[in-house]
Amino acid sequence: RKEVEQDPGPFNVPEGATVAFNCTYSNSASQSFFWYRQDCRKEPKLLMSVYSSGNEDGRFTAQLNRASQYISLLIRDSKLSDSATYLCVVNGRYTDKLIFGTGTRLQVFP
Amino acid sequence: GAGVSQSPSNKVTEKGKDVELRCDPISGHTALYWYRQSLGQGLEFLIYFQGNSAPDKSGLPSDRFSAERTGGSVSTLTIQRTQQEDSAVYLCASSLRQGAGANVLTFGAGSRLTVL
């Protein structure tokens, strides 16, 4: 089983839609969780950290479910500019090195 | 510097040659990571340096790959006897280990390696 797993998509949604991505992780001892965004042929950039109680940043909401070992990202009122690949990041087994999921591709259309 | 700097940005080499890729992390960042990303694929962890601790080399795909970090700052990733399957973008990232911003990675723009 991969340490971090994501549905690769693509998710094709119209502008204004709400879309949610999940990411599962295998290390129950993981403490650090993040969502990164990667645009085509660019480096990944931090979108938001994920806190135990859940957190929101504008149209973006991240949640952590420790019991089921997954994190989620909800995007409300999707914009064309949200089109990108969303990467889930978790610290790995027995170490604090950061492991990336393969990413979920989002395409927002007019 | 203001960001993570990587060089060269592009490197084309012939199969069998050695290449060196350089990463200059953000000043004060104690953690440094190398990842590899093949076209259309996710990020593959290669190696992780944290302060003076022994590096985590668990992601290096073969003994042709090595990396070092001198003086806790600049890092060099070396690939010996390059193969065509080594073609990828090599991404370096750095982070603080503690305090605000801990474990938040800042990436360089990457070094795109093409092995002919």
Side-chain angles (χ1 to χ4, degrees), chain B residues 1-2 6-7 14 20-21 29 34 36 40 42-43 45 48 57-58 62 64 69 71 82 84 89 92 94 105 108 110:
Chain B
Q6 290 189 246
S7 62
E14 292 179 346
E20 283 191 352
L21 307 176
H29 278 194
W34 283 98
R36 175 169 76 172
L43 272 72
F45 168 80
Y48 163 53
K57 304 179 181 180
S58 60
S62 77
R64 296 187 296 105
R69 188 178 184 191
T82 53
Q84 288 183 330
V89 176
C92 176
S94 69
L105 296 179

Side-chain angles (χ1 to χ4, degrees), chain A residues 32 34 36 38 41-46 49 87 89 91 95-103, chain B residues 33 35 37 39 41-43 45 48 56 58-59 91 97 102-109 112:
Chain A
S32 300
F34 306 91
Y36 279 70
Q38 186 174 27
R41 299 177 75 86
K42 297 285 190 180
E43 72 273 20
K45 292 186 178 177
L46 178 71
S49 302
L87 302 164
V89 185
N91 67 298
T95 176
D96 55 6
K97 78 183 183 193
L98 296 172
I99 305 297
F100 281 73
T102 52
Chain B
Y33 296 76
Y35 292 89
Q37 188 171 35
L39 188 63
Q41 302 298 310
L43 272 72
F45 168 80
Y48 163 53
D56 181 337
S58 60
L91 290 159
R97 176 60 183 88
N103 291 335
V104 173
L105 296 179
T106 301
F107 281 86
R112 182 176 299 276

Side-chain angles (χ1 to χ4, degrees), chain A residues 75-93:
Chain A
I75 305 175
R76 290 182 299 277
D77 188 23
S78 298
K79 311 291 185 190
L80 295 176
S81 57
D82 294 334
S83 298
T85 296
Y86 291 83
L87 302 164
C88 169
V89 185
V90 179
N91 67 298
R93 186 177 295 277

Side-chain angles (χ1 to χ4, degrees), chain B residues 41-61:
Chain B
Q41 302 298 310
L43 272 72
E44 176 188 4
F45 168 80
L46 297 178
I47 188 168
Y48 163 53
F49 295 91
Q50 172 48 48
N52 296 321
S53 301
D56 181 337
K57 304 179 181 180
S58 60
L60 294 178

Side-chain angles (χ1 to χ4, degrees), chain B residues 25-31 69 72-73 95-97:
Chain B
I26 291 174
S27 178
H29 278 194
T30 57
R69 188 178 184 191
S73 181
S95 74
L96 292 167
R97 176 60 183 88

